[in-house]
Amino acid sequence: MSNARAARPTRRGILAVGGALGLGAALAACGDDDASSGGSSSASSSAKSGSWTFKDDRGTTVKLDKIPANIVAFTGVGAALYDYGIQVKGVFGPTKTAAGKADVQAGDMDVSKVTVIGNVWDEFNVEKYAALAPDVLISTMFDSAGTLWYVPEASKDKIAKLAPSVGVSVYDRQLTAPLQRMWELAESLGADMTAAAVTDAKKKFEAAAARLRAAAKAKPEIKVLAGSASEALFYVSGTNLSIDLEYFKALGVNFVEPPESAKAEGGGWYESLSWENVDKYAADIIMMDDRSSTIQPADITEATWKKLPAVKAGQVIARSPEPILSYAKCVPLLENLAEALEKAKKVS
């Protein structure tokens, strides 16, 4: 893939992006956190006038006469807002599985109560979107160019004419930064950020972070590999660029790091391996991409996978390369890795 997320990604790229890297197969240069985040004062709503203003991570300020009511969002964004009490009208991105159940990226949303504009990559029904009379479209961004995730390149101009958009960057920064931005966005949309469920979740996140830091410090010798599986290839993600891995690394987790040269094909996100070479890196714990677009550990039949020491030892856990950006949903990500480290045996 080329530099920008606007480039058309391959199927392989999408799979790897998600799993082996956190998402995005070949994104480009790093964004500047300070410049793009807009700061905590960037979001505001006026109770007196009902007007709404929000400065997003592209540096774009959206101003409306009223707080948005008809919100259309990428599925994961809708799930995060739902945790804060904000219900979106429409979603695009992985929402329903083939069996009609809620996709893992839909979180706790009742998917029967939202209009699904598109359920897979490059699918976005512009007519359905227009019929919702959207006030704003919200998505995440996996590059420094401000490309809105899951908004198709072919129809992005038509989509942009129907409503203003807000982008939350999940590119080359630690998890806590986009979590804070989603908090600010939810607050601007009228969420009660003093609600017990909300404040308790934030405290639990902080406690879980402290637990993970302690677990990593206690077992610095344990190597963790972040992987993703497709039928033809196995992807190993580096920690750079992915919000979850960058954060876990900052807390002290010892990750397998493919060299930059090996990640060149994956735009700096990941290295792709044939299943014959899946044992290239020694690992004690393997974190596997939990998204529905990837093959899950229980369904991997490759003999080389089954022979891996971490697999034989039962030291394989799930990873969410596209975390739902609410504190409630991120607590388990920290706790699961902490528990895995606490229980892990050195097997590599």
Side-chain angles (χ1 to χ4, degrees):
M1 286 175 53
S2 65
N3 284 7
R5 174 47 75 177
R8 182 174 298 173
T10 62
R11 173 66 174 168
R12 181 180 66 179
I14 295 302
L15 286 172
V17 155
L21 26 88
L23 221 128
L27 306 180
C30 301
D32 181 79
D33 281 1
D34 292 333
S36 63
S37 69
S40 61
S41 63
S42 62
S44 65
S45 59
S46 171
K48 190 175 287 187
S49 65
S51 62
W52 184 77
T53 301
F54 190 86
K55 184 178 180 182
D56 75 358
D57 290 343
R58 298 169 297 184
T60 300
T61 299
V62 177
K63 297 180 179 180
L64 299 175
D65 293 336
K66 60 183 178 67
I67 296 175
N70 294 343
I71 302 170
V72 175
F74 171 66
T75 302
V77 172
L81 292 176
Y82 181 87
D83 285 352
Y84 290 128
I86 303 296
Q87 177 69 57
V88 302
K89 295 294 180 66
V91 293
F92 54 94
T95 307
K96 296 180 180 180
T97 65
K101 297 181 179 180
D103 187 274
V104 64
Q105 290 184 256
D108 292 331
M109 280 195 302
D110 184 342
V111 295
S112 69
K113 294 183 178 180
V114 293
T115 298
V116 180
I117 305 298
N119 198 59
V120 298
W121 183 260
D122 229 19
E123 178 182 86
F124 192 110
N125 189 314
V126 180
E127 288 72 26
K128 265 189 182 181
Y129 177 58
L132 289 176
D135 294 321
V136 67
L137 178 148
I138 309 172
S139 191
T140 48
M141 302 181 297
F142 281 90
D143 63 13
S144 59
T147 308
L148 297 173
W149 189 233
Y150 267 79
V151 173
E153 173 68 15
S155 54
K156 66 181 178 68
D157 292 338
K158 290 181 181 178
I159 293 167
K161 291 178 181 178
L162 295 171
S165 62
V166 166
V168 176
S169 179
V170 289
Y171 176 66
D172 192 27
R173 58 201 59 198
Q174 293 181 25
L175 177 60
T176 46
L179 269 175
Q180 178 62 28
R181 293 295 283 146
M182 192 62 68
W183 175 288
E184 293 165 5
L185 178 59
E187 186 174 36
S188 78
L189 293 169
D192 180 6
M193 310 313 282
T194 64
V198 173
T199 56
D200 286 350
K202 192 169 185 179
K203 289 177 183 176
K204 288 179 181 177
F205 178 88
E206 293 164 353
R211 177 184 176 186
L212 179 54
R213 187 189 297 277
K217 185 177 181 179
K219 292 188 176 178
E221 75 282 4
I222 298 296
K223 294 284 288 185
V224 180
L225 182 148
S228 181
S230 71
E231 186 174 343
L233 296 168
F234 182 82
Y235 305 94
V236 179
S237 179
T239 57
N240 292 339
L241 308 183
S242 298
I243 58 172
D244 61 330
L245 302 185
E246 284 200 14
Y247 184 53
F248 299 157
K249 181 181 178 181
L251 292 175
V253 178
N254 183 11
F255 280 100
V256 168
E257 295 282 2
E260 291 303 315
S261 58
K263 296 188 293 179
E265 183 184 354
W269 291 83
Y270 61 90
E271 177 182 3
S272 56
L273 301 173
S274 66
W275 282 103
E276 289 76 15
N277 296 316
V278 74
D279 60 353
K280 179 177 179 178
Y281 297 106
D284 303 296
I285 295 173
I286 300 177
M287 301 177 69
M288 289 295 289
D289 184 352
D290 68 355
R291 293 172 305 169
S292 56
S293 59
T294 65
I295 299 176
Q296 297 305 301
D299 299 319
I300 298 175
T301 58
E302 300 290 342
T304 49
W305 163 262
K306 294 180 179 180
K307 291 178 181 178
L308 293 176
V311 174
K312 292 172 69 175
Q315 296 180 171
V316 178
I317 65 172
R319 175 196 170 209
S320 299
E322 294 183 65
I324 293 173
L325 296 172
S326 71
Y327 286 101
K329 289 299 182 294
C330 289
V331 167
L333 309 185
L334 296 169
E335 290 182 336
N336 292 344
L337 181 52
E339 181 179 9
L341 283 169
E342 292 162 356
K343 294 180 177 179
K345 296 178 180 180
K346 185 68 180 175
V347 295
S348 63

